Amino acid sequence: MPQKTSRDPDRLVLFTDAVVAIAITLLILPLVDLANEHAEHPVEILAHNRDRIGSFVLSFVVIARLWLTHHQMFAHVGKYTSNLVLWNMMWLFTTVLLPFPTEMVGRYGSESFTMAFYIGTVLASSVCLTALTLVIYRNPDIQDPDNPVDDRYVANSVTTTGLIVVALVLALVVPKVNYLALLLLFLTPVVARLWTRRRRVTS
């Protein structure tokens, strides 16, 4: 069992935010290089690199959404354990890794390995967030007593991870769908509400 600490989590949160900020900034660097390397008209640069621009926008939205989930979750943390720090570092690893498959998406588009690598990285990130949520949920001692975690957060986190699994399978089975499969994430609130309601009825 991890040793508990009464240390304030602000330092961990600040470190995490700084790493995420670096990762999200790295996404734009390949596009900056495009502007420096090519002597084309600006409109032609945009037209010839739609896939790379699209992958940048997609990953920016993905990282922003994952960070927002992390930010909201840590609002419930009053102190942390080594287990919480471990899962947080694993989540940061997936976040820092994401610019790499993003660049691959820009170069290779909807090639099956690239899709699996990209969506798989997003899935790994979501799994880490779900693990973080469960660590907090199952340890009332580390929660902020004035702002505890409720079933809603667990439902949202588990539902998000489940939908990414479905998106990964769908993208590989139906290649034409490709990264649009991630739009399934918009169903998260609906599915999470249904799951929470069902748990309350059966409990």
Side-chain angles (χ1 to χ4, degrees):
M1 184 175 180
Q3 183 178 0
K4 294 177 182 177
T5 175
S6 59
R7 187 176 301 166
D8 191 290
D10 285 353
R11 185 176 181 184
L12 179 63
V13 172
L14 289 173
F15 171 75
T16 300
D17 288 351
V19 174
V20 173
I22 292 171
I24 209 167
T25 301
L26 288 175
L27 295 174
I28 194 63
L29 295 184
L31 299 184
V32 174
D33 290 339
L34 282 178
N36 292 329
E37 292 173 0
H38 295 275
E40 302 171 282
H41 189 276
V43 175
E44 292 179 342
I45 294 176
L46 296 177
H48 294 163
N49 295 279
R50 285 175 296 182
D51 287 345
R52 300 182 77 173
I53 295 170
S55 64
F56 160 72
V57 173
L58 175 62
S59 291
F60 186 95
V61 172
V62 167
I63 292 179
R65 187 186 185 284
L66 292 171
W67 173 82
L68 181 60
T69 300
H70 183 279
H71 175 72
Q72 293 172 338
M73 182 172 50
F74 265 75
H76 300 276
V77 178
K79 50 187 177 180
Y80 59 86
T81 63
S82 57
N83 198 25
L84 188 71
V85 174
L86 175 63
W87 280 108
N88 192 75
M89 293 302 294
M90 291 176 67
W91 177 71
L92 283 177
F93 174 79
T94 63
T95 304
V96 172
L97 177 64
L98 194 59
F100 178 42
T102 298
E103 179 65 10
M104 291 182 65
V105 171
R107 289 181 179 272
Y108 304 109
S110 301
E111 191 270 332
S112 56
F113 175 80
T114 304
M115 282 196 298
F117 187 25
Y118 183 88
I119 301 178
T121 302
V122 177
L123 175 59
S125 186
S126 184
V127 167
C128 291
L129 280 179
T130 298
L132 277 169
T133 303
L134 292 174
V135 168
I136 298 168
Y137 181 74
R138 292 173 178 173
N139 290 272
D141 291 342
I142 68 175
Q143 296 180 34
D144 182 347
D146 298 323
N147 189 23
V149 176
D150 57 26
D151 292 343
R152 225 169 9 105
Y153 285 91
V154 177
N156 281 331
S157 187
V158 172
T159 299
T160 297
T161 299
L163 288 174
I164 297 174
V165 171
V166 175
L168 176 58
V169 173
L170 182 61
L172 294 177
V173 173
V174 188
K176 288 184 179 180
V177 174
N178 57 66
Y179 304 101
L180 293 176
L182 289 171
L183 293 176
L184 286 172
L185 291 176
F186 285 107
L187 297 176
T188 296
V190 177
V191 177
R193 276 198 300 269
L194 291 174
W195 183 46
T196 303
R197 192 177 303 165
R198 184 176 180 182
R199 285 190 63 188
R200 288 173 181 172
V201 170
T202 55
S203 61

